[in-house]
């Protein structure tokens, strides 16, 4: 069965960096895009962007370029989200999510990781 | 601010029907981009509820139905059940910004 297993919770100080991992299993990793979604405490879902798992080409939503970096290690079917220069406003649960049709403007997200809580506090 | 607007809350008694509307514009829903819906139960990751405007993934009860018209979309829940109490989000593509968006989210409360 399809599974996306994310790394655990992180507590970081402002200015630090964090790298969240997302290991996929149960399907061919390069057959589907990997998306990242943020949910701040008590807030709604924000689409951060997605990465094409064959080419490694990443598309970032407004407000998520520069300090947010998507990457892959296809040899171990794992996607990564790195967040640099963390701020308290980055405190949130971050989800990796498998996508369908993302290259064709009709993306839907069918399998979600369990989420990784990143807390930024001094 | 999301480009897709939803009412903050909707409520209904068990067995009743409710509808959640997702209001967009000519650069997203009105441009015929597909609308998806997700359900997030308290304390859990979201789950795909509807894709391609009105298609249910395997395992989603037929009490849930979706449609798109003009610059809006809706998710209808008939025969409301206690376990339907959750947050619901619409999602589509916006061609003026070139990215995907979630709606602002709607909390469904079963009275």
């Amino acid at each position: 069965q399809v599974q996306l297993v994310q790394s655990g919770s992180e507590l970081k100080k402002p200015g630090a960096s964090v790298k969240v991992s997302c290991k996929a299993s149960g399907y061919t990793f390069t057959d589907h895009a990997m998306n990242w979604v943020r949910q701040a405490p008590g807030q709604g879902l924000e689409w951060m962007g997605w990465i094409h798992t064959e080419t490694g080409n990443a598309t970032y939503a407004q407000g998520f370029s520069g300090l947010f970096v998507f990457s892959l290690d296809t040899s171990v079917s794992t996607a990564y989200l790195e967040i640099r220069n963390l701020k308290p406003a980055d405190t949130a649960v971050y989800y990796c999510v498998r996508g369908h049709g993302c290259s064709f403007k009709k993306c839907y997200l069918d399998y979600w990781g369990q989420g990784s809580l990143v807390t930024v506090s001094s | 601010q999301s480009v897709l607007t939803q009412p903050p809350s909707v409520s209904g008694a068990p067995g009743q029907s409710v509808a959640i509307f997702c209001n967009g514009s000519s650069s997203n829903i009105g441009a015929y981009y597909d609308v998806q819906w997700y359900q997030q139960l308290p304390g859990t990751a979201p789950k795909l509820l509807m894709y391609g405007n009105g298609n249910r993934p395997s395992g989603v009860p037929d009490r849930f139905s979706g449609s798109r018209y003009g610059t809006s979309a809706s998710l209808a829940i008939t025969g409301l059940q206690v376990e339907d109490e959750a947050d619901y989000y619409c999602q589509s593509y916006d061609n003026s910004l070139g990215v995907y968006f979630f709606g602002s989210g709607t909390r469904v409360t079963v009275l």
Side-chain angles (χ1 to χ4, degrees):
Chain A
Q1 72 283 19
V2 174
Q3 280 193 307
L4 299 175
V5 178
Q6 299 184 226
S7 48
S9 299
E10 302 263 13
L11 173 60
K12 295 289 186 180
K13 294 192 182 303
S17 296
V18 70
K19 196 167 188 176
V20 176
S21 67
C22 169
K23 182 165 177 59
S25 62
Y27 72 100
T28 301
F29 184 68
T30 51
D31 278 354
H32 297 277
M34 190 64 75
N35 295 256
W36 291 93
V37 175
R38 181 170 80 176
Q39 187 168 37
Q43 302 299 309
L45 304 175
E46 288 183 276
W47 200 310
M48 301 174 65
W50 63 283
I51 185 166
H52 195 294
T53 50
E54 278 192 309
T55 65
N57 185 50
T59 300
Y60 297 93
Q62 281 189 333
F64 291 105
S65 59
L67 298 178
F68 297 82
V69 181
F70 307 149
S71 61
L72 304 167
D73 184 343
T74 57
S75 68
V76 290
S77 301
T78 300
Y80 301 94
L81 164 66
E82 182 180 13
I83 311 172
R84 302 165 178 167
N85 192 18
L86 283 160
K87 304 173 184 55
D90 295 322
T91 295
V93 174
Y94 292 85
Y95 294 100
C96 62
V97 200
R98 193 180 84 161
H100 273 271
C102 299
S103 298
F104 307 106
K105 303 179 182 178
K106 52 196 310 176
C107 192
Y108 64 89
L109 309 177
D110 61 352
Y111 285 93
W112 293 65
Q114 83 275 21
S116 297
L117 174 63
V118 175
T119 303
V120 184
S121 174
S122 54
Chain B
Q1 293 285 354
S2 178
V3 297
L4 303 175
T5 304
Q6 299 178 234
S9 62
V10 167
S11 61
Q16 285 189 331
S17 297
V18 296
I20 303 168
F21 293 92
C22 174
N23 296 316
S25 68
S26 58
S27 62
N28 42 69
I29 300 175
Y32 300 100
Y33 292 110
D34 285 350
V35 178
Q36 280 65 239
W37 292 90
Y38 301 86
Q39 177 194 58
Q40 186 175 30
L41 297 170
T44 70
K47 163 191 161 184
L48 178 66
L49 199 65
M50 200 74 56
Y51 66 96
N53 305 310
N55 298 294
R56 283 185 305 274
S58 173
V60 173
D62 60 7
R63 303 186 291 104
F64 294 91
S65 62
S67 61
R68 179 187 67 188
Y69 40 90
T71 59
S72 296
S74 66
L75 174 73
I77 311 174
T78 58
L80 198 60
Q81 298 184 5
V82 172
E83 57 262 36
D84 298 334
E85 195 160 275
D87 294 325
Y88 293 81
Y89 297 89
C90 60
Q91 171 254 305
S92 188
Y93 180 83
D94 188 282
N95 64 17
S96 67
L97 296 168
V99 291
Y100 296 96
F101 277 94
F102 289 104
S104 46
T106 299
R107 176 153 296 177
V108 170
T109 302
V110 182
L111 302 171

